[in-house]
Every structure is written in C-alpha cells, then in structure tokens.
C-alpha cells in the first residue's frame, strides 16, 4: 500500500508540472509528446498531426464516445445466494437452492466462492457445510468458476465456455436433457476452455466438451464424454477421463497429471491425435490390475454422479469395451 501511495503521488506531481488535473485530462494531448528517437528513419509526426489540427481548431482531441460496457440490466441470480449461503456455511448448516439459469448469467457461483474463501482464510479450522445449487437451463460463461470446497453446482442443460475456470475444490455436475441425455456422447454439453487453471475439485459432464478442455489444469478430476482439439493442453496435474472421441493435438505441453481416453474407433492412437512429444500411451494389455480397476471405478463414479447413458453402456459391456481404454502419461513422469 505504501508503494502504491508513493507512485500515486509521483503521478500527481508529473501531471501538476504539465498543468493537468488528472490522467483523463492527459488523454489525447499529443501536443505534449516529443519524439526523441528516429530508429530506421521512422517519423511519427503524421500520427500526431490530425489531433494537433483538431486541437488548434477547437475540435475533439480524443475519442469522446461512450464505453462499450457489457449490459448488466439484471441482478445476477447468485447475488441472492451470498448472504444466506455464507451464514449457513459459517453455522455448519446445509444450504440448497433450485433455480433457472440463462446465458446472461455469467460466472455463477464465483461471488459466493469468494466470500467463503475469505471466511476460510480468517478461520482455517472452520468445518463449513455443504452448499448445493441445482439449476436448469443454459449457463453463461464461466459457470462454477472458482468454486471452493463445500460447493456443489448441478446443471441440467448446457453451459458456455470456461466452465470451472479456476476451480479450487468445488464439484460441478452437468447433465443433458431430452434426447441429448439418451445419446450423451454425441452431444456437446459445455463450451471451450473448461477447467482453465483449475487447482482442485471435480467436474462430471454427461456430454462432450469443446476445445482446449482442461488447459492448465493442475489438480482437478474431470470426466467428460468427448473433447475437441487441444484437450489437456499444458496440464500439470489432476486427472482427465474422456469417454469418447477427441480432436487433434491432445496433451500438447502436458507435463503432469494423467489422462484416460476411451479410444472406441482406434483413431486416437491410430491417427496420432495426441502429442507424441509429451505423452506416452499405455494400452490395456500393458496396464496392471490396479490401473484397470481404477478406470472402472471412475466410470462407476461418473454414472453415479450424472446417470450417464454412456457410462451405463460401458459398464454393461465392460469385458468387450474396456480394452479400448488408453492411459496417457506425460513423458516427464513416465
């Protein structure tokens, strides 16, 4: 804070020397600029001329339009959850909400997560309680971002990009509705860049995810039923399970964690959809009993959390389908 005050004072002194009351007043004042270098003969005068002429003639010297801020014509739905949710968490009482969500509802859950995190910082031994939010509809960007331990966000419907961004202990469960629920591995349920920068927590999605799934994940467990290009990019920890097809360039820059891919058609390995410079595949016959049992338990967990038809089908045909699973290990850990 002291450094900030010193810098602020220095800026105010510089503005005073120029006879300016604020930084806003300095914006557009190109007459106060002086070129001191002419590298490769570069002359910047033409860039300043139009503004200089405008100033001489009394015209505008800078853009004077309004900011193109995102419209916020409604109160975020989770504002109402913060006070009662936090009080319940402090008291150790369970708290639950049922709500309808639309794509104008962005970063749902993050406000309460921030308050819970602040409380935990000052009360590290507090046990807290379970905070459960059940929603239906289409979520806007960053659904469940930064959700912390004790928070469970369930969504029946669809979600946009950045699901679980910065997830740090919370649990996200996404289920499709209608026909998409019956053919979950064929339908995209969440957008691009899910779990960007997640450090811990869980994501279960009975459907496909978009591109760059799990990028920079460093500790979360995620189970989905297909991903687009660049899945698990730059992942440094955690566990990703893909019960369906992937796009290209899977695992580029992946240096930690593990990934399981259900290679149903053989194209994941056969067509080299993973980054061979970073990942080492292990096929079913190369895995020991513990590894084989662990992926079955993960599929069972996915079924329990999402009622996924894909997981149900895999378990019903386990002897025939299990050998198609491939475990991907970063070469830095192999």
């Amino acid at each position: 804070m002291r450094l900030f005050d010193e810098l602020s004072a220095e800026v105010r002194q510089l503005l005073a020397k120029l006879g300016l009351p604020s930084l806003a007043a300095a914006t557009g004042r190109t007459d106060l600029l002086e070129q001191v270098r002419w590298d490769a003969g570069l002359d910047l005068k033409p860039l300043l001329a139009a503004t200089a002429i405008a100033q001489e003639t009394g015209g505008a010297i800078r853009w004077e339009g309004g900011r193109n801020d995102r419209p916020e014509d409604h109160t975020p739905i989770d504002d109402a959850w913060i006070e009662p949710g936090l009080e319940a968490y402090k008291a150790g009482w369970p708290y639950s909400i049922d709500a309808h969500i639309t794509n104008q509802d962005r970063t749902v859950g993050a406000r309460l997560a921030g308050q819970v995190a602040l409380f935990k910082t000052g009360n590290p031994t507090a046990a807290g309680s379970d905070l459960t939010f059940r929603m239906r509809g289409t979520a806007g960007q960053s659904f469940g971002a930064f959700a912390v331990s004790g928070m469970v966000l369930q969504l029946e419907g669809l979600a946009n990009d950045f699901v679980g961004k910065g997830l740090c202990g919370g649990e996200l469960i996404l289920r499709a509705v209608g026909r998409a629920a019956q053919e979950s591995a064929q339908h995209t349920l969440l957008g691009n860049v899910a779990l960007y920068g997640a450090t811990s927590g869980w994501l279960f999605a009975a459907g496909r995810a978009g591109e760059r799934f799990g990028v920079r994940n460093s500790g979360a467990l995620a189970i989905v039923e297909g991903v687009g290009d660049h899945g698990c990019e730059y992942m440094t920890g955690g566990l990703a399970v893909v019960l369906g097809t992937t796009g290209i360039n899977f695992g580029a820059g992946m240096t930690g964690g593990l990934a399981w891919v259900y290679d149903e058609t053989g194209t994941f390995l056969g067509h080299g959809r993973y980054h061979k410079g970073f990942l080492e595949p292990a096929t079913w016959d190369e895995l020991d009993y513990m590894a084989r049992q662990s992926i079955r338990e993960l599929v069972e967990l996915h079924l329990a959390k999402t009622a996924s038809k894909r997981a149900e089908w895999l378990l019903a045909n386990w002897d025939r389908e299990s050998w198609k699973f491939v475990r991907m290990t970063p070469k830095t850990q192999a």
Side-chain angles (χ1 to χ4, degrees):
M1 182 61 72
R2 181 180 177 182
L3 177 60
F4 178 79
D5 291 339
E6 291 175 353
L7 291 174
S8 298
E10 184 177 351
V11 171
R12 287 193 295 269
Q13 291 172 5
L14 291 172
L15 289 171
K17 288 180 180 179
L18 295 171
L20 299 171
S22 65
L23 282 174
T27 304
R29 291 293 303 274
T30 55
D31 57 304
L32 301 175
L33 299 177
E34 179 183 356
Q35 184 173 353
V36 296
R37 289 172 52 180
W38 286 262
D39 293 350
L42 181 64
D43 184 0
L44 298 177
K45 287 182 180 179
L47 295 176
L48 311 179
T51 300
I53 293 172
Q55 185 178 15
E56 291 173 3
T57 60
I61 63 173
R62 60 185 175 127
W63 179 74
E64 296 184 344
R67 285 177 56 87
N68 186 25
D69 292 330
R70 296 190 308 190
E72 294 289 353
D73 55 355
H74 72 291
T75 301
I77 62 170
D78 51 341
D79 272 8
W81 308 346
I82 296 175
E83 185 175 346
L86 184 60
E87 289 304 311
Y89 187 85
K90 291 178 178 178
W93 301 330
Y95 178 76
S96 63
I97 283 288
D98 290 273
H100 179 74
I101 191 171
T102 69
N103 61 8
Q104 69 177 349
D105 297 314
R106 295 180 289 268
T107 325
V108 170
R111 294 169 178 82
L112 179 57
Q115 293 299 313
V116 171
L118 284 173
F119 171 72
K120 287 289 290 184
T121 299
N123 303 272
T125 60
S129 64
D130 293 329
L131 309 174
T132 303
F133 307 95
R134 294 178 290 268
M135 287 156 277
R136 292 180 63 90
T138 301
Q141 288 197 351
S142 302
F143 174 78
F146 310 110
V148 297
S149 298
M151 295 180 64
V152 180
L153 282 79
Q154 302 174 3
L155 173 65
E156 290 189 15
L158 303 172
N160 276 272
D161 299 340
F162 292 103
V163 169
K165 176 175 64 179
L167 186 70
C168 47
E171 181 176 313
L172 309 180
I173 302 171
L174 284 74
R175 306 183 184 98
V177 294
R179 183 177 176 182
Q182 301 303 312
E183 301 174 353
S184 54
Q186 305 302 318
H187 294 268
T188 299
L189 196 59
L190 59 158
N192 300 323
V193 206
L195 293 180
Y196 176 74
T199 58
S200 58
W202 299 267
L203 168 64
F204 304 96
R208 297 180 57 82
E211 296 187 352
R212 288 196 155 85
F213 174 80
V215 57
R216 298 194 183 281
N217 173 30
S218 63
L221 162 66
I223 306 178
V224 295
E225 300 181 6
V227 298
D229 295 341
H230 317 296
C232 299
E233 189 178 37
Y234 301 117
M235 202 165 111
T236 60
L239 176 62
V241 179
V242 183
L243 304 179
T245 58
T246 77
I248 61 172
N249 202 37
F250 186 91
M254 181 176 168
T255 56
L258 289 173
W260 286 90
V261 176
Y262 173 60
D263 191 10
E264 183 174 11
T265 62
T267 55
F268 180 73
L269 290 181
H271 294 176
R273 290 182 174 270
Y274 67 97
H275 200 296
K276 297 181 180 179
F278 285 93
L279 294 180
E280 189 70 40
T283 57
W284 193 253
D285 57 353
E286 297 173 316
L287 298 170
D288 58 23
Y289 171 79
M290 294 297 293
R292 294 180 180 185
Q293 185 63 20
S294 70
I295 183 58
R296 181 184 177 97
E297 290 174 355
L298 288 168
V299 176
E300 290 173 342
L301 177 62
H302 186 61
L303 175 61
K305 293 290 185 178
T306 67
S308 162
K309 291 296 182 182
R310 178 67 155 185
E312 183 179 45
W313 177 80
L314 281 169
L315 292 169
N317 298 279
W318 192 254
D319 290 342
R320 186 187 70 201
E321 300 297 325
S322 58
W323 67 272
K324 299 176 184 177
F325 277 96
V326 181
R327 188 183 67 187
M328 310 302 294
T329 304
K331 289 188 174 180
T332 55
Q333 299 179 184

